[in-house]
Amino acid sequence: MRILLVEDDALLGDAIQAGLKQTGYAIDWLRDGVAADQALSTEPYDAVVLDWGLPRLSGIEVLQRLRARRMDVPVLLLTARDTIDDRIEGLDCGADDYLIKPFDLGELSARLRALVRRSGGNATPWLTAGEIELDPASHRVNHQGRPVELSAKEFSLLHALMLAQGRVLSRAQLEEKLYAWGDEVESNAVEVHVHHLRRKLYAELITTIRGVGYLIR
Ligand code: CA
């Protein structure tokens, strides 16, 4: 899961980045609205955590530009403003959810999971595919009802393929979901994770489409 975090407060940004990284997300952190607007026009994100009050371009303006480009990536707005009018303005501009500062990191993480799940068209928290069940909240994976231990990257890869069930994801798309800017990526990282998933779960779970990518049917 690749998340863009836009927050100009260094302490808060650092805490959010560290907290979300622990849950296995790849986080790109930017500190102003113009940089966020540029990143959102070029990079594919699964969700955005967007502060309202930002230098150079406000969070609301970033959001308006994003929606004007018809991009429907889920956005969670962070704000210190808590009047009814502010909330309505934020939602009317295309935010999918918002949190009022100060907030709990666990709640931020739970709301992000809910946003990503809904944008993938899933209403229930557990995802299922073939003999596999996956719970994004507890990071648990069951094969035929029995728990299986996966590394953080293996879990993220499986999660991405299950959210996209029935669609092929290319190696580049999967790398983008697993790694943030500046992360070291081995050239065959995705192949290695897929290999491990097939071994730990079962071989037929993930289909290779030669020259295109991978899918879970
Ligand atoms: Ca701010």
Side-chain angles (χ1 to χ4, degrees):
M1 200 72 59
R2 179 109 176 262
I3 309 280
L4 178 65
L5 165 66
V6 195
E7 171 58 71
D8 58 316
D9 182 305
L11 275 179
L12 181 59
D14 204 41
I16 296 175
Q17 185 181 40
L20 293 181
K21 259 190 178 165
Q22 264 189 354
T23 65
Y25 295 138
I27 314 288
D28 294 331
W29 176 17
L30 295 173
R31 293 154 180 82
D32 77 74
V34 171
D37 185 52
Q38 284 165 356
L40 284 166
S41 20
T42 54
E43 302 279 331
Y45 289 102
D46 296 295
V48 185
V49 177
L50 182 63
D51 186 29
W52 183 313
L54 289 171
R56 298 175 79 197
L57 201 60
S58 78
I60 287 290
E61 287 167 298
V62 172
L63 186 55
Q64 285 169 332
R65 291 181 182 203
L66 180 71
R67 296 307 186 217
R69 292 194 295 273
R70 299 262 173 270
M71 295 184 71
D72 58 3
V73 53
V75 174
L76 192 155
L77 203 58
L78 301 179
T79 173
R81 311 159 63 142
D82 63 352
T83 70
I84 298 279
D85 283 349
D86 288 334
R87 295 184 206 189
I88 292 172
E89 185 185 353
L91 292 170
D92 277 349
C93 286
D96 298 275
D97 199 357
Y98 59 87
L99 267 178
I100 293 166
K101 296 178 185 177
F103 52 82
D104 178 79
L105 267 179
E107 182 176 4
L108 173 65
S109 185
R111 284 179 183 248
L112 270 179
R113 283 196 299 274
L115 282 185
V116 170
R117 186 172 79 223
R118 288 201 298 268
S119 76
N122 295 294
T124 57
W126 279 88
L127 302 174
T128 57
E131 301 169 4
I132 302 299
E133 297 168 317
L134 176 147
D135 179 15
S138 64
H139 269 234
R140 275 183 303 172
V141 173
N142 291 340
H143 176 213
Q144 294 181 330
R146 282 191 299 277
V148 180
E149 286 289 324
L150 299 180
S151 74
K153 292 294 183 202
E154 288 160 7
F155 181 90
S156 295
L157 182 68
L158 181 64
H159 190 193
L161 285 168
M162 286 178 78
L163 281 172
Q165 199 167 350
R167 278 189 295 123
V168 181
L169 294 178
S170 69
R171 195 177 80 176
Q173 283 173 319
L174 287 167
E175 273 176 8
E176 278 162 356
K177 288 184 186 297
L178 297 186
Y179 297 97
W181 294 325
D183 283 353
E184 281 223 15
V185 189
E186 300 278 337
S187 63
N188 63 344
V190 168
E191 283 89 336
V192 170
H193 295 317
V194 167
H195 173 76
H196 288 157
L197 282 172
R198 284 177 172 147
R199 192 168 47 76
K200 291 182 178 181
L201 301 168
Y202 59 100
E204 303 76 30
L205 174 66
I206 299 170
T207 306
T208 303
I209 308 294
R210 214 169 281 279
V212 186
Y214 299 96
L215 94 152
I216 287 182
R217 296 187 199 277

